[in-house]
């Protein structure tokens, strides 16, 4: 898609190759070049390309082969990884460890490794000596031998099963589109399928399904395969309905969105509609849109719960804080319209954040930022404890990846934040197994209680008619 320009410094003249190119490289001595055009490659001297305006001779790669000496390659990868940590690790003192001795110790194990996976394990043990987060070692060339992929996988119907006294399974929960994710597709949620929660699963592909046999044993499928599902509103085959559906290979998105909708409903019911709820799965560019979706829906509530439990981190937490910090200073008033808050996107809601041990990296930075700006109450348990982050990863000669923990945080008070400890909540609440088995989310319940108390203590009154000047 590009034009390649070649400029002669002595003659002070320029020429342009006659074909669009996709990529190009110069040789080490700067005299030769290789040019990619579509799926083809051409090579020749720069001087000839300048005079002929052609990319050179076509390369025939059909019989191209190269030889790898794994031992030598692994030694180079080891040395590269050790140097990258020496040069890019955030702490020049290497957390007080003698990096030269550590390198020498682990390098002595190289003659004993027998695979690329062994090398990754060895590197992971070496960088683990630093006792720090984000020390990711992965990938690499595992050789040409690979077991063929098994096309068969366990399919799912997007439902939660519950054994009944009659010996059949009931559809305790059916997952599908929600009020907040209407475009979700699910096997049992279609206009032509009359399946409802509480119905009985009678058979799959004509084979009766009885407890305690696992229903998923009947759902071993390949991609695109459809199965017939027989359902009845009573525990009997007589009068049952049979539908053809395509199982999904994962229920995660369906279950997650049901959890979100249930939490929103729980919060709304417990607060009389005064409190909104959102969950942020990570801190990437996509998650700013995830935040904005629920921020627009709930920013005019009297309270708002921002749930970052299980947050996968990223780099955008301050975008969220920027929105949460905005406060209303006035009302916009248009004729025949209800006044609305100004500036746009501002909120006067009381705020609470939920965090847990699975909230990591930039999600933990969000908690610390939220606390530092005194925006509200943080509820839950200490987070993951990994805030020495990464801003780049190096690629090894065989396309593996080595990340160095090169981006740490310390607070305005001068102390390191989060690493090997976690971001602490203001109110410590743990979701213990007994409560979880009972279907209780104690952290969410506490957040509702905290915000309801705030709302009672500091009520927010929306204005009535605008104060038009008197005649």
């Amino acid at each position: 898609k590009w034009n390649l320009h070649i400029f002669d410094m002595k003659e002070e003249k320029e020429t342009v190759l006659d074909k669009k190119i996709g990529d190009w490289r110069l040789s080490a001595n700067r005299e030769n070049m290789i040019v990619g055009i579509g799926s083809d490659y051409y090579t020749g001297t720069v001087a000839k390309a300048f005079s002929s305006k052609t990319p050179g001779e076509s390369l025939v790669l059909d019989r191209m082969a190269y030889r790898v000496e794994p031992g030598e390659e692994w030694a180079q990868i080891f040395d590269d990884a050790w140097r990258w940590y020496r040069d890019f690790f955030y702490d020049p003192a290497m957390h007080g460890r003698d990096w030269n001795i550590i390198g020498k110790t682990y390098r002595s194990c190289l003659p004993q490794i027998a695979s690329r996976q062994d090398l990754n394990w060895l590197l992971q043990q070496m960088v683990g000596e630093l006792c720090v987060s984000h020390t990711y070692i992965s990938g690499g060339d595992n050789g040409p031998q690979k077991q063929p992929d098994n096309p068969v996988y366990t399919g799912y119907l997007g439902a939660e099963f519950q054994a009944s006294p009659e010996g059949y399974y009931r559809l305790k929960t059916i997952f599908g589109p929600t009020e907040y994710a209407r475009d979700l597709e699910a096997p049992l949620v279609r206009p032509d399928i009359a399946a409802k929660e509480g119905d009985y699963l009678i058979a799959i592909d004509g084979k009766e399904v009885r407890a305690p046999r696992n229903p998923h044993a009947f759902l071993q499928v390949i991609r695109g395969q459809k199965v017939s599902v027989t359902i009845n509103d009573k525990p009997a085959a007589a009068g049952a309905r049979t539908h053809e559906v395509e199982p999904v290979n994962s229920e995660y998105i369906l279950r997650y969105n049901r959890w979100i909708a249930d939490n929103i409903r729980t919060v709304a019911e417990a607060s009389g509609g005064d409190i909104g709820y959102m969950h942020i799965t990570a801190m990437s560019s996509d998650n700013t849109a995830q935040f904005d979706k629920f921020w627009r829906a709930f920013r005019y509530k009297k309270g708002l719960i921002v749930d970052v439990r299980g947050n996968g981190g990223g780099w955008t937490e301050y975008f969220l804080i920027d929105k949460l910090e905005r406060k209303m200073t006035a009302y916009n008033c248009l004729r025949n319209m209800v006044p609305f808050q100004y500036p746009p996107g501002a909120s006067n809601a009381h705020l609470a954040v939920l965090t847990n041990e699975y909230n990591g990296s930039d999600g933990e930075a969000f908690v610390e930022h939220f606390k530092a700006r005194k925006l509200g109450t943080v509820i839950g348990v200490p987070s993951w404890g990994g805030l020495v982050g990464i801003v780049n990863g190096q690629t090894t000669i065989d396309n593996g990846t080595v990340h160095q923990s090169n981006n740490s945080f310390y607070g305005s008070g001068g102390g390191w934040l989060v690493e090997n400890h976690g971001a602490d909540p203001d109110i410590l609440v743990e979701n213990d197994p007994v409560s979880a088995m009972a279907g209780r989310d104690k952290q969410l319940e506490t957040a509702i209680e905290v915000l309801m108390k705030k709302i009672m203590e500091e009520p927010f009154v929306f204005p009535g008619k605008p104060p038009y000047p008197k005649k």
Side-chain angles (χ1 to χ4, degrees):
K1 63 180 180 181
W2 296 301
N3 291 316
L4 182 60
H5 297 247
I6 304 175
F7 187 81
D8 189 315
M9 298 294 288
K10 292 181 179 179
E11 299 293 332
E12 296 186 357
K13 291 181 180 180
E14 179 187 65
T15 190
V16 181
L17 294 195
D18 56 9
K19 291 184 179 180
K20 297 275 188 179
I21 72 161
D23 200 0
W24 69 282
R25 293 289 187 278
L26 282 177
S27 63
N29 64 8
R30 323 294 282 180
E31 294 178 0
N32 299 283
M33 66 180 189
I34 185 169
V35 177
I37 299 176
S39 59
D40 298 322
Y41 292 90
Y42 300 83
T43 186
T45 66
V46 177
K48 186 174 180 180
F50 180 86
S51 60
S52 66
K53 297 186 179 181
T54 61
E57 296 181 6
S58 176
L59 292 177
V60 179
L61 304 178
D62 295 345
R63 292 181 292 172
M64 180 179 176
Y66 66 93
R67 181 178 179 82
V68 174
E69 295 290 346
E72 295 179 14
E73 192 169 90
W74 296 340
Q76 176 185 331
I77 293 169
F78 181 95
D79 289 342
D80 285 342
W82 180 86
R83 281 194 297 268
W84 289 332
Y85 268 83
R86 180 196 65 188
D87 296 342
F88 300 129
F89 188 63
Y90 86 101
D91 176 16
M94 305 301 287
H95 279 188
R97 308 306 304 274
D98 190 323
W99 196 237
N100 289 320
I101 290 178
I102 287 175
K104 183 177 180 180
T105 300
Y106 283 92
R107 191 178 288 108
S108 67
C109 299
L110 281 173
Q112 282 126 33
I113 68 172
S115 69
R116 185 60 168 84
Q117 292 96 325
D118 285 353
L119 176 63
N120 278 349
W121 180 87
L122 184 65
L123 292 173
Q124 289 161 2
Q125 301 308 304
M126 180 177 73
V127 301
E129 297 275 0
L130 296 169
C131 297
V132 71
S133 64
H134 293 85
T135 50
Y136 302 142
I137 308 287
S138 61
D141 182 3
N142 289 305
Q145 272 132 27
K146 181 183 176 186
Q147 292 294 329
D149 292 331
N150 185 355
V152 178
Y153 61 86
T154 300
Y156 298 91
L157 297 178
E160 198 166 89
F161 304 111
Q162 182 181 51
S164 70
E166 298 86 0
Y168 289 104
Y169 285 100
R170 303 194 77 169
L171 303 177
K172 179 183 177 183
T173 307
I174 297 177
F175 303 104
T178 71
E179 307 95 302
Y180 312 98
R182 295 186 180 276
D183 58 346
L184 291 177
E185 296 182 2
L188 297 180
V189 183
R190 293 192 337 225
D192 60 331
I193 295 180
K196 60 184 183 299
E197 293 181 352
D199 281 351
Y200 294 85
L201 175 64
I202 305 300
I204 296 176
D205 279 341
K207 298 174 183 176
E208 190 178 42
V209 180
R210 304 278 292 193
R213 183 79 185 275
N214 190 329
H216 295 104
F218 300 87
L219 292 168
Q220 303 303 303
V221 297
I222 62 174
R223 184 172 300 278
Q225 180 180 340
K226 291 182 170 57
V227 300
S228 62
V229 178
T230 303
I231 299 170
N232 205 347
D233 55 9
K234 57 183 182 292
R241 310 171 303 276
T242 298
H243 306 281
E244 190 179 70
V245 302
E246 183 176 335
V248 294
N249 62 4
S250 172
E251 292 177 334
Y252 172 77
I253 295 297
L254 295 171
R255 287 175 175 269
Y256 171 74
N257 279 280
R258 176 64 174 264
W259 179 72
I260 293 295
D262 287 347
N263 283 353
I264 292 173
R265 182 172 57 254
T266 296
V267 170
E269 290 175 353
S271 66
D274 284 340
I275 301 175
Y277 168 91
M278 69 170 73
H279 180 258
I280 308 300
T281 55
M283 295 294 178
S284 72
S285 53
D286 289 342
N287 300 112
T288 58
Q290 182 185 33
F291 171 86
D292 194 60
K293 171 180 176 178
F294 292 102
W295 178 248
R296 288 173 180 271
F298 300 131
R299 67 186 180 219
Y300 294 138
K301 299 285 187 181
K302 297 177 182 178
L304 179 60
I305 298 169
V306 182
D307 190 347
V308 291
R309 292 177 295 182
N311 189 282
W315 62 92
T316 60
E317 63 84 15
Y318 53 90
F319 284 93
L320 278 59
I321 295 294
D322 285 349
K323 284 290 186 73
L324 296 177
E325 282 188 316
R326 293 184 188 178
K327 295 300 176 187
M328 186 198 75
T329 59
Y331 289 95
N332 264 133
C333 178
L334 283 74
R335 184 167 179 170
N336 297 325
M337 291 183 64
V338 174
F340 57 89
Q341 297 180 30
Y342 182 87
S347 171
N348 273 3
H350 297 291
L351 303 174
V353 162
L354 294 181
T355 185
N356 68 357
E357 66 272 31
Y358 301 112
N359 173 26
S361 196
D362 207 44
E364 301 175 279
F366 173 81
V367 173
E368 289 292 346
H369 199 164
F370 185 88
K371 289 164 57 179
R373 301 302 297 159
K374 296 180 171 54
L375 296 178
T377 306
V378 179
I379 298 151
V381 296
S383 57
W384 179 52
L387 201 53
V388 180
I390 46 180
V391 293
N392 70 325
Q394 306 295 333
T395 302
T396 63
I397 191 173
D398 65 346
N399 285 322
T401 303
V402 177
H403 282 100
Q404 309 88 51
S405 310
N406 47 22
N407 176 30
S408 191
F409 291 78
Y410 64 89
S412 56
W416 293 109
L417 293 178
V418 173
E419 186 67 30
N420 283 328
H421 177 79
D424 288 316
D426 299 310
I427 301 176
L428 184 65
V429 180
E430 185 161 3
N431 276 334
D432 57 88
V434 175
S435 299
M437 289 293 291
R440 289 185 58 195
D441 186 335
K442 292 170 63 177
Q443 294 166 345
L444 186 62
E445 292 172 1
T446 303
I448 296 170
E449 292 171 4
V450 167
L451 290 182
M452 289 300 292
K453 183 179 179 182
K454 282 281 189 181
I455 291 169
M456 294 293 292
E457 292 174 348
E458 303 175 37
F460 168 65
V461 181
F462 196 78
K465 292 183 179 180
Y468 293 116
K470 294 181 179 180
K471 292 183 181 178

